[in-house]
Amino acid sequence: MTATATSWFDRPARLALIPLAVSGALLLGALGFQFIGKLPPCALCVDQRYAHVAALILAVVAIIVRGRIGWILVGLAVLALAVSGGIGIFHAGVEQKWWAGPTGCTGGSLADLTPEEATKRLMGTPVVRCDEIPWALFGLSMAAWNAIVSLGVALLASMLLLRRRKA
């Protein structure tokens, strides 16, 4: 086999570096926005982080484990990365008002509620809403950037996994 980009990733430990690095970088960025930028996460942001933590754990174990199990773990890490991207697409759509988000973090409509029900809902609604964009770059929110990066890298890693399987 010649030394190509795909042949470098012919071991699960090497391919696991992709979801490990990307999920790690995105998590560090999110934590930086939270603690340095003082932008607390909403519920959907936290869900995206859970998927990245899963990708990190699976990638680390894939680096340790050898053989077929290592490849399965890499595939699961890539899947977790894609799940975070999928949640990011949903979250970005909620932010853009393309579809409704979870009522627990968007507040929902208070129009058809009694004053007591409206008060109860307002008191139970978190301060950080999922349907607002606290920060954007080039018109894209953090959720949209997470979706683009996570899904793009998951696609690339999936292609490398499939090439390895054909070889």
Side-chain angles (χ1 to χ4, degrees), residues 19-36:
L20 178 75
V22 172
S23 284
L26 289 172
L27 273 173
L28 284 174
L31 292 171
F33 276 102
Q34 180 178 347
F35 294 109
I36 298 169

Side-chain angles (χ1 to χ4, degrees), residues 64-98:
I64 297 168
V65 175
R66 302 281 185 216
R68 184 178 173 101
I69 300 297
W71 286 114
I72 291 170
L73 291 170
V74 170
L76 291 173
V78 170
L79 179 62
L81 189 62
V83 166
S84 182
I87 298 168
I89 287 174
F90 177 73
H91 189 184
V94 169
E95 291 172 334
Q96 296 297 326
K97 314 291 190 271
W98 294 337

